[in-house]
Amino acid sequence: MAGGSMVPAGVSKERAEEYKGRVTAYVVVACLVAAIGGSLFGYDVGISGGVTSMDGFLEKFFPAVYRNKQRAHENNYCKYNNQGLSAFTSSLYLAGLVSSLVASPITRKYGRRGTIICGGVSFLIGAALDASAVNLVMLIFGRIMLGVGIGFGNQAVPLYLSEMAPTHLRGGLNMMFQLATTLGIFTANMINYGTQKLEPSGWRLSLGLAAAPAILMTIGGILLPETPNSLIERGFETKGRKVLEKIRGTSDVHAEFQDIMDASELANSIEHPFRNILERRNRPQLVMAIFMPTFQILTGINSILFYAPVLFQTMGLEGNASLYSSAVTGAVLASSTVISIATVDRWGRRALLISGGVQMIVCQVMVAIILGVKFRGDEELSKAYSTLVVVVVCLFVMAFGWSWGPLGWTVPSEIFPLETRSAGQSITVAVYLFFTFVIGQSFLSMLCLFKFGIFLFFAGWIVVMTIFVYLFLPETKGVPIEEMIFMWKKHWFWKKIVI
């Protein structure tokens, strides 16, 4: 069967109504353990912003920024504007971009577990290097190893969760990845709040503790079962069926097993998944793999989470207060993700994305107005208005936490046919990390240039992405992962493309 076969995605008919099984403790535990991979990314996002506001860290590696920070009348919007400091944050994401593409053939050939283990080991090495760094080169090299770990983990974990989860709970279980990410952010913020009192070396403890989730991810990868989809794709049909029966809690898995077998047959006939993904029938999935992670970053969330302590200090909050405020935003993000887990398989993906988008637009505009009217670059914002900004930022983070945060990962990981699934997830992760790199590298300069207008910049993008979801994203709730092709054929726009 050639790559241009007329059989769509390898599945010839819909069998969703024939799927049997229940939610087993085995699959829930497997998903929980795998989702720990998300905590690596979350911990790094949370820890970076706190560390880059610590005097001991700045004085050792970025003395120019440290001197600017000490100047009482320095323009608040620009005092952290330093490309070297931005490179510390964003180098990880450039490394992750490259490694996510490398991870695709590894995930396909050796399974999801192997990629998860590689990611955990790489992250562990990076944490050790950063915690013991004696110069900027060593620090950046550690960041690159962390990036490799994130590239591998973000490539494999969402796929693992989507393939292990039963259809009717796939959204909620897949979001365990995002929940782990948000808990990683919150944990990092709380650690920063404690270690900033250990100047001048508290930053070493903050960076070194990244080894904890890395160890958990590595051990989890060793102990986890492989997904039935991956086993069958690699020729282990009997073992794949046994795993499928175990995770579904029944021996009556014929319909789901047949869907996986059909998808696997086509997948194994494809020699070049990245070339195949460009075919017309895969166009809607490719568009989503590019636009969903792009839009997720263009909400502005990573900028807020990376630089929350820096951002709050810019507004005049003292060091301790700024770290405390960023810890609060981390807690809000984690709690709102739980809301999404509880509702995504009941209300659907579209409803959460659209409602979250509307709330984020309102919040970004409110912050821009407050800063534009009440905040001048060479003065501090009053305590009352600083508090109001923190509250509105928390409302923004809450909306992101139940919408684009988890669903930016969930939707791309569940829409690809088996033949292009690992390649599609690699594209998703690479695009995500590319735009994370771009925004991470440019945010401090953009804050200096645009000032309060930076929030209007992100609000404009949220308007665009909300319209995009309304028009072009079909509802994936309740659709079996190997039958997604039929969903595109029923959509008002995509049915014109995939025929």
Side-chain angles (χ1 to χ4, degrees):
M1 193 177 295
S5 167
M6 296 300 293
V7 180
V11 179
S12 58
K13 69 174 185 176
E14 296 182 71
R15 301 186 181 94
E17 298 299 323
E18 302 173 35
Y19 276 33
K20 305 293 182 183
R22 57 186 172 83
V23 181
T24 61
Y26 187 74
V27 75
V28 171
V29 171
C31 288
L32 284 173
V33 173
I36 291 172
S39 65
L40 272 70
F41 182 60
Y43 186 87
D44 184 80
V45 169
I47 219 71
S48 298
V51 165
T52 52
S53 70
M54 293 183 186
D55 288 346
F57 176 83
L58 292 175
E59 189 174 15
K60 183 172 182 63
F61 296 107
F62 305 100
V65 179
Y66 176 73
R67 289 191 296 271
N68 284 344
K69 185 180 176 184
Q70 305 308 308
R71 294 173 186 168
H73 299 293
E74 178 76 21
N75 186 320
N76 281 319
Y77 280 117
C78 301
K79 64 184 177 183
Y80 288 97
N81 183 23
N82 179 279
Q83 287 301 300
L85 182 59
S86 296
F88 164 76
T89 298
S90 57
S91 59
L92 179 149
Y93 304 102
L94 191 59
L97 186 160
V98 175
S99 64
S100 67
L101 298 175
V102 174
S104 175
I106 295 175
T107 303
R108 192 178 187 212
K109 187 173 182 179
Y110 299 105
R112 288 42 166 158
R113 288 174 62 244
T115 308
I116 290 172
I117 293 169
C118 289
V121 172
S122 298
F123 203 86
L124 188 59
I125 294 171
L129 287 171
D130 275 354
S132 58
V134 295
N135 53 50
L136 188 58
V137 173
M138 188 173 176
L139 187 74
I140 298 297
F141 186 68
R143 294 288 291 174
I144 290 172
M145 291 304 298
L146 293 175
V148 172
I150 284 177
F152 274 69
N154 285 16
Q155 206 278 342
V157 172
L159 287 187
Y160 185 93
L161 296 173
S162 286
E163 292 179 344
M164 290 291 281
T167 298
H168 67 290
L169 288 178
R170 187 179 60 245
L173 289 176
N174 190 289
M175 285 180 179
M176 293 296 179
F177 177 78
Q178 177 66 13
L179 179 61
T181 301
T182 60
L183 290 174
I185 293 170
F186 176 67
T187 301
N189 285 332
M190 295 308 296
I191 288 173
N192 278 338
Y193 184 62
T195 58
Q196 53 90 25
K197 300 174 184 177
L198 304 177
E199 292 282 19
S201 299
W203 60 270
R204 291 191 185 275
L205 183 59
S206 289
L207 295 177
L209 286 175
I215 291 171
L216 290 174
M217 178 174 165
T218 304
I219 294 174
I222 294 171
L223 299 178
L224 288 173
E226 186 56 88
T227 71
N229 309 64
S230 178
L231 288 168
I232 294 169
E233 182 183 18
R234 291 183 288 135
F236 303 106
E237 289 89 354
T238 302
K239 188 175 181 180
R241 178 158 187 143
K242 287 181 179 178
V243 172
L244 186 61
E245 290 176 356
K246 190 169 186 179
I247 64 177
R248 298 294 179 255
T250 178
S251 59
D252 186 8
V253 295
H254 175 74
E256 186 171 2
F257 180 73
Q258 191 58 51
D259 271 353
I260 298 173
M261 286 292 291
D262 289 349
S264 178
E265 181 183 355
L266 180 56
N268 287 324
S269 72
I270 303 300
E271 294 183 9
H272 305 289
F274 281 102
R275 186 184 304 168
N276 187 264
I277 208 172
L278 298 175
E279 292 185 3
R280 185 182 178 93
R281 65 191 179 88
N282 289 321
R283 194 66 47 77
Q285 296 97 315
L286 179 60
V287 169
M288 294 301 162
I290 294 172
F291 279 89
M292 292 298 287
T294 301
F295 286 150
Q296 188 186 42
I297 295 303
L298 289 174
T299 60
I301 187 67
N302 275 16
S303 300
I304 288 174
L305 295 178
F306 282 160
Y307 300 111
V310 171
L311 195 61
F312 291 138
Q313 280 190 1
T314 293
M315 295 169 193
L317 295 176
E318 295 299 325
N320 289 1
S322 68
L323 283 170
Y324 180 74
S325 298
S326 61
V328 170
T329 60
V332 170
L333 183 59
S335 59
S336 60
T337 304
V338 176
I339 296 174
S340 189
I341 291 173
T343 58
V344 66
D345 289 308
R346 185 182 311 163
W347 296 349
R349 283 65 162 155
R350 283 167 51 85
L352 294 179
L353 287 168
I354 293 171
S355 62
V358 171
Q359 182 168 325
M360 285 191 290
I361 293 167
V362 172
C363 291
Q364 292 275 30
V365 172
M366 284 183 65
V367 171
I369 291 174
I370 293 170
L371 296 184
V373 174
K374 295 294 182 180
F375 181 50
R376 294 179 58 188
D378 56 352
E379 296 178 0
E380 293 185 349
L381 197 63
S382 71
K383 184 175 181 180
Y385 281 106
S386 293
T387 302
L388 180 59
V389 168
V390 172
V391 170
V392 177
V393 166
C394 284
L395 290 174
F396 169 83
V397 169
M398 179 183 294
F400 177 85
W402 80 56
S403 58
W404 281 93
L407 290 170
W409 290 108
T410 296
V411 172
S413 72
E414 67 184 0
I415 60 175
F416 281 94
L418 187 60
E419 60 184 285
T420 55
R421 191 167 297 151
S422 61
Q425 184 65 13
S426 285
I427 292 173
T428 298
V429 176
V431 171
Y432 177 87
L433 293 174
F434 172 74
F435 278 96
T436 304
F437 168 77
V438 171
I439 296 297
Q441 189 69 25
S442 62
F443 176 73
L444 293 177
S445 296
M446 290 170 67
L447 180 64
C448 179
L449 178 64
F450 291 167
K451 300 180 173 57
F452 64 88
I454 189 71
F455 297 97
L456 296 178
F457 171 81
F458 289 124
W461 279 110
I462 300 172
V463 171
V464 172
M465 66 187 72
T466 303
I467 295 172
F468 176 86
V469 168
Y470 181 79
L471 293 176
F472 300 113
L473 179 65
E475 183 54 67
T476 60
K477 179 186 71 173
V479 181
I481 193 169
E482 303 300 353
E483 295 185 7
M484 288 288 174
I485 187 65
F486 301 111
M487 173 191 69
W488 304 110
K489 286 188 167 186
K490 298 172 184 176
H491 187 265
W492 73 272
F493 178 79
W494 296 119
K495 67 182 179 182
K496 306 170 188 175
I497 307 295
V498 298
I499 55 173

